[in-house]
Amino acid sequence: MPRVKGHVAHQCSSCGTCAPRWTGRCANCGEWNTLVAREVPIGAEVSLTSLRDAGRDEAPARSTGVAELDRVLGAGLVDGSTTLLFGEPGVGKSTLALMVLHARASAGEAVVLVAAEESPAQVARRARRLGEVPPGLDVVPATDVAALEQVLYRYRPAVMVVDSISALSDPSIAAGAGSVPQVRHAAERLCRAARSVGTALVLVGHVTKDGDLAGPRTLEHLVDTVVRIEGDRHGTLRTLRCLKHRFGPTDEVGLMEMGPAGLVDLVDPAAQFAGSALDVPGVVVGVALDGSRATRVEFQALVTACAGPPRRVAHQVSSQRLSLLLAVLDARCGVATASLDVFAATAGGLAANEPGVDAALALAVASAAQGFAVDRDLAVVGEVGLAGELRAVAGVSRRVREAQRLGARRVIVPVAGSPEAGQDVELVACASLADVLAVARNSTKLAKTC
Ligand code: TYD
Ligand code: MG
């Protein structure tokens, strides 16, 4: 853009307001003949960059060595960037971060683990579970921010993991370790240092079950990337999700399993979520969409006589949606469960809370309540409205493809937004939940008669 030498503004000598052009009367205070031309000095030199050229020299993302984490990050970690990895205690943050260091050190890079909470011996024990510890993976037991800044400037590691950010402190700040001012200050300083030396920095942070916002989450705007690791403490399934990413999209979901030798990529979750092989009422195949990832999920329901007040137990499905679906089943489809116990769950521990699985869940309950088994090669996709209508859902084609890939021969889809039929799969477009029930019952009869 061409530069201009100076800029002239017209300022009112009465009230101080500036106007771009001279006028006889000040638009602000109404005084006459008070506007005086004044040169606005050009301050510190700033240079402009054409957007066409900006970022062409940006560092590329480099693989973390963990395929599911790479999937969530788009490609991997960008040199000089900062990633916040957070989750509840015990979910596997230290394990995942260590796996990245293991992989990068095995590829011949110098990497550092800042053990701010555990002793090097404890960390080494975890590292050995993951396999032989490669040379080039160093550990520094430190909590002082200035010392860690020195590590970055002096050694310029390819990756540095800080486990965890809450344990760092700077003695010149009065607030205690783990407090918001300390955590923010530490993150700010280390981010800046990592950017200037080109180290990919990973900050590990804990949150409590009710999402303790005072801690690491206050760093979200400060860092380039935020990854959350989620999972049920009693199960082995772990979900990786990107909540913020300056270098790519955030809608990929990673699935991993915690095993005796660390986290293992769950590249094809089909086996994990295969569910029951029993041909019993109450089992229906649906497809959940999480970000851009479609996953086949088996819904299971059990409807039984109750001894006391009726119970509704929802495991890995939304209890609110379950209540809504029970009401719709009763009012629009004649399936009454008001005086019965209803249990609903997914097989394999995957949480399926989005509306696109409504119809599958509702059909599972109806099938359990009325005692008809649903074909396992029938998959059901669709949201259920209060009028009992089957509503269009996001990513319907992707869900159909996933159902088909995993053996579905027929897929029930909403009439609205129903995709083009693919090869080897029959699409059955339904307008209402009552239609879905009718199709499922008929296909059972057909299956039984042939
Ligand atoms: P950890 O990574 O320490 O969790 P976080 O840093 O999020 O608190 O590990 C979590 C749990 O995983 C821990 O209870 C032990 C278990 N674990 C395994 O089952 N296999 C393994 O290989 C490792 C290293 C840990
Ligand atoms: Mg840990």
Side-chain angles (χ1 to χ4, degrees):
M1 190 184 285
R3 282 183 53 178
V4 288
K5 291 216 179 63
H7 172 72
V8 176
H10 296 86
Q11 191 169 24
C12 172
S13 55
S14 171
C15 72
T17 301
C18 284
R21 247 171 288 109
W22 189 87
T23 49
R25 189 181 186 202
C26 173
N28 185 49
C29 66
E31 289 290 319
W32 287 93
N33 292 324
T34 51
L35 260 62
V36 184
R38 188 173 64 80
E39 176 120 351
V40 180
I42 292 184
E45 194 73 24
V46 282
S47 55
L48 304 182
T49 305
S50 163
L51 195 53
R52 289 160 61 101
D53 305 326
R56 289 205 197 274
D57 54 350
E58 194 169 74
R62 292 200 287 144
S63 171
T64 61
V66 180
E68 289 293 287
L69 182 57
D70 282 351
R71 176 189 181 121
V72 169
L73 294 172
L77 295 172
V78 174
D79 290 347
S81 74
T82 300
T83 303
L84 173 67
L85 171 67
F86 79 96
E88 289 168 30
V91 76
K93 301 176 294 296
S94 301
T95 305
L96 184 61
L98 195 56
M99 284 168 64
V100 174
L101 295 179
H102 240 267
R104 297 287 289 261
S106 299
E109 290 179 301
V111 299
V112 171
L113 172 64
V114 178
E117 281 176 2
E118 295 169 306
S119 70
Q122 279 172 310
V123 173
R125 203 173 310 130
R126 185 186 289 112
R128 288 191 197 104
R129 287 179 76 169
L130 306 180
E132 197 185 331
V133 183
L137 197 175
D138 290 336
V139 57
V140 43
T143 56
D144 181 51
V145 181
L148 297 178
E149 235 173 17
Q150 286 309 308
V151 170
L152 284 168
Y153 286 125
R154 197 169 296 170
Y155 298 100
R156 300 182 169 229
V159 184
M160 181 161 108
V161 168
V162 178
D163 192 357
S164 76
I165 185 72
S166 324
L168 301 194
S169 64
D170 176 348
S172 68
I173 292 187
S179 63
V180 173
Q182 282 284 11
V183 167
R184 289 179 57 102
H185 172 78
E188 250 163 33
R189 280 177 67 176
L190 295 182
C191 271
R192 204 176 312 127
R195 194 175 313 124
S196 72
V197 299
T199 294
L201 180 67
V202 178
L203 305 176
V204 172
H206 318 287
V207 285
T208 52
K209 185 105 196 152
D210 37 322
D212 166 24
L213 295 183
R217 298 213 50 185
T218 60
L219 304 178
E220 281 186 15
H221 72 279
L222 234 157
V223 300
D224 301 298
T225 303
V226 179
V227 175
R228 179 162 71 196
I229 169 166
E230 300 163 6
D232 182 350
R233 285 191 88 144
H234 307 294
T236 55
L237 180 69
R238 299 290 181 268
T239 310
L240 305 179
R241 227 179 276 279
C242 197
L243 306 187
K244 168 184 176 179
H245 200 19
R246 287 213 175 118
F247 312 105
T250 54
D251 59 355
E252 277 291 354
V253 175
L255 293 173
M256 302 190 82
E257 195 173 11
M258 182 63 92
L263 290 157
V264 184
D265 293 334
L266 207 64
V267 178
D268 192 353
Q272 172 94 16
F273 309 127
S276 120
L278 301 174
D279 188 20
V280 291
V283 178
V284 172
V285 173
V287 187
L289 192 73
D290 191 344
S292 60
R293 186 169 191 155
T295 311
R296 176 191 183 278
V297 191
E298 188 183 284
F299 292 88
Q300 301 186 340
L302 193 58
V303 177
T304 55
C306 52
R311 285 186 297 166
R312 274 84 188 81
V313 180
H315 188 55
Q316 309 290 20
V317 295
S318 153
S319 56
Q320 268 176 331
R321 294 211 80 84
L322 178 64
S323 304
L324 184 148
L325 294 172
L326 295 183
V328 174
L329 279 169
D330 192 357
R332 313 284 179 202
C333 309
V335 180
T337 51
S339 56
L340 298 166
D341 282 344
V342 178
F343 303 88
T346 63
L350 188 84
N353 294 319
E354 51 100 21
V357 302
D358 277 357
L361 180 56
L363 178 59
V365 173
S367 136
Q370 300 188 331
F372 64 93
V374 175
D375 271 358
R376 215 58 70 79
D377 54 12
L378 172 75
V380 184
V381 169
E383 179 178 349
V384 174
L386 291 179
E389 81 278 22
L390 202 60
R391 304 170 68 159
V393 295
V396 66
S397 308
R398 202 171 298 162
R399 295 185 208 238
V400 169
R401 275 201 303 278
E402 182 63 7
Q404 181 191 359
R405 192 178 75 80
L406 296 171
R409 288 190 295 125
R410 307 175 79 197
V411 184
I412 293 182
V413 291
V415 171
S418 128
E420 296 284 305
Q423 285 176 330
D424 304 329
V425 67
E426 184 192 343
L427 295 181
V428 187
C430 288
S432 66
L433 182 58
D435 287 354
V436 174
L437 266 51
V439 169
R441 275 200 205 95
N442 285 339
S443 49
T444 309
K445 265 192 224 120
L446 285 176
K448 291 268 153 65
T449 50
C450 51

